């Protein structure tokens, strides 16, 4: 399993994360794009592809939107350089994923293709998406989701994106209230996760916060192991 989580920055802020991403699966140049965090109306998904491919690190790549998540076959997904799960409304994204049964398809290719999630796309890789409701601009649950459980690929941790230092208190309060550790990513931060080891790959450090109030600051290039977390930990 190889995951990249990014905080949701633009091409400039995410340049280091994108460059690392490019290096995965050399020789493959087509990205499977999952843009379901935004509505498909009025060419929005095509615009999302253009937004992705305008990133300098992805020059020469092509993107293919997987519009029909229910019909996506693991054999097809595994032929791509990677799956890129885009940002937008986290509740909309998770609702689409759940309705299509896409979770089982994604898990079927975890050992074959990397997954890059940015903003909402990073949040759904965690234990649940409750962290999307935290911060100065929380996502609205327009989908009416009651079950916020997500892919849980981070050993029981959640992801918190668009993080800024002045939100440290909000982050700590959330971890304590939810009894859940959280990987906080600024818009210039990113992590690479492989075999439960997490490496900081962006321009900004990553903050890992725990329900106890403790936190770890992970500078670029540094790696730590994500210890599996349970409710009773």
């Amino acid at each position: 399993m190889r995951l990249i989580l990014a905080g949701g920055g633009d091409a400039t802020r995410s340049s280091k994360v994108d460059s690392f991403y490019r290096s995965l699966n050399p020789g493959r140049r087509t990205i499977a794009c999952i843009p379901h965090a935004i509505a498909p109306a009025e060419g929005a998904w095509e615009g999302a592809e253009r937004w992705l491919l305008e990133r300098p690190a992805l020059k020469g790549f092509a993107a293919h939107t997987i519009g029909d998540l229910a019909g996506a076959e693991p054999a097809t997904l595994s032929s791509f350089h990677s799956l890129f799960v885009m940002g937008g409304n986290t509740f909309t994204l998770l609702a689409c994923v759940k309705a299509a049964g896409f979770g089982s398809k994604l898990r079927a290719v975890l050992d074959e293709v990397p997954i890059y999630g940015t903003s909402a796309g990073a949040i759904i890789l965690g234990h649940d998406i409750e962290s999307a409701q935290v911060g100065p601009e929380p996502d609205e649950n327009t989908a009416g989701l009651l079950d916020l459980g997500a892919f849980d690929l981070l050993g029981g941790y959640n992801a918190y994106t668009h993080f800024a230092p002045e939100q440290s208190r909000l982050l700590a309060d959330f971890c304590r209230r939810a009894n859940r550790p959280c990987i906080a990513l600024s818009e210039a931060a990113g992590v690479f996760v492989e075999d439960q080891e997490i490496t900081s790959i962006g321009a900004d450090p990553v903050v890992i916060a725990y329900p106890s109030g403790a936190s770890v600051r992970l500078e670029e290039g540094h790696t730590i192991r994500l210890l599996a977390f349970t409710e009773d930990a």
Side-chain angles (χ1 to χ4, degrees), residues 6-20 50-59 84 116 118 187-189 202-203:
D10 59 18
T12 299
R13 305 204 74 192
S14 300
S15 60
K16 287 192 173 184
V17 180
D18 290 345
S19 294
F20 184 95
R50 291 193 298 272
W51 171 87
L52 174 61
L53 296 178
E54 285 170 357
R55 302 166 92 88
L58 299 182
K59 183 178 180 180
F84 194 103
Y116 186 156
T118 184
E187 293 186 353

Side-chain angles (χ1 to χ4, degrees), residues 177-226:
R177 182 176 69 254
N179 191 31
R180 182 72 46 195
C182 205
I183 301 166
L185 302 158
S186 78
E187 293 186 353
V191 292
F192 176 58
V193 183
E194 184 174 28
D195 298 328
Q196 297 307 118
E197 287 192 339
I198 179 171
T199 302
S200 177
I201 59 173
D204 282 354
V206 176
V207 175
I208 303 175
Y210 299 92
S212 66
S215 64
V216 173
R217 181 182 169 97
L218 197 62
E219 302 288 345
E220 181 183 357
H222 290 197
T223 299
I224 65 171
R225 187 162 187 82
L226 286 179

